[in-house]
């Protein structure tokens, strides 16, 4: 997966999508550089919604994943992973044709 994130050389935080300046340090610090987002990560948090917003079918499985680059992104999961969901679980991530990030168990 070729997605870029930006990392700040001042505070070392990584954010996605990439920014022109660090959202933590502000525009006065000109210290961001591009890094690869990474296609693996760890689940920081997750939720399963049985009453998702319009456009999504229940159960909606969402996980906040910290990628290997250090950026945190929201990823969709399949119903089949619900019983395995756990904070700290290692996952693979990819961007689907729907333009959203998806995760699968490793
Ligand atoms: Zn910073």
């Amino acid at each position: 997966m070729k997605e870029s994130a930006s990392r700040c050389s001042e505070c070392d935080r990584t954010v996605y999508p990439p920014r022109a300046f660090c959202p933590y340090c502000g525009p006065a610090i000109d210290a961001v550089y591009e890094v690869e987002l990474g296609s693996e990560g760890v689940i920081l948090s997750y939720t399963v919604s049985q009453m998702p917003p319009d456009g999504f079918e229940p159960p909606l499985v969402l996980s906040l994943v910290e990628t290997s680059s250090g950026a945190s992104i929201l990823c969709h999961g399949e119903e089949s992973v619900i019983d395995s969901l756990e904070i700290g679980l290692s996952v693979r991530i990819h961007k689907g044709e729907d333009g959203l990030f998806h995760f699968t168990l490793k």
Side-chain angles (χ1 to χ4, degrees):
M1 186 174 69
K2 284 290 175 195
E3 286 287 329
S4 295
S6 57
R7 181 174 295 151
C8 174
S9 56
E10 185 74 17
C11 70
D12 212 33
R13 288 178 167 118
T14 306
V15 295
Y16 178 87
R19 317 273 168 85
F21 60 85
C22 175
Y24 300 97
C25 298
I29 308 291
D30 181 22
V32 293
Y33 57 99
E34 190 175 301
V35 294
E36 200 172 317
L37 178 62
S39 55
E40 297 186 352
V42 172
I43 291 178
L44 296 177
S45 185
Y46 62 89
T47 187
V48 178
S49 175
Q50 299 296 342
M51 296 179 64
D54 288 347
F56 296 97
E57 293 295 317
L60 176 63
V61 181
L62 289 176
S63 177
L64 186 65
V65 174
E66 183 179 83
T67 73
S68 50
S69 70
S72 299
I73 58 172
L74 198 59
C75 299
H76 292 250
E78 296 293 325
E79 183 174 359
S80 60
V81 305
I82 290 175
D83 290 339
S84 306
L85 287 174
E86 198 177 312
I87 290 171
L89 199 64
S90 293
V91 295
R92 288 194 178 85
I93 54 176
H94 69 276
K95 201 167 194 178
E97 289 178 14
D98 54 9
L100 303 171
F101 286 107
H102 296 262
F103 73 94
T104 54
L105 305 182
K106 284 177 74 176

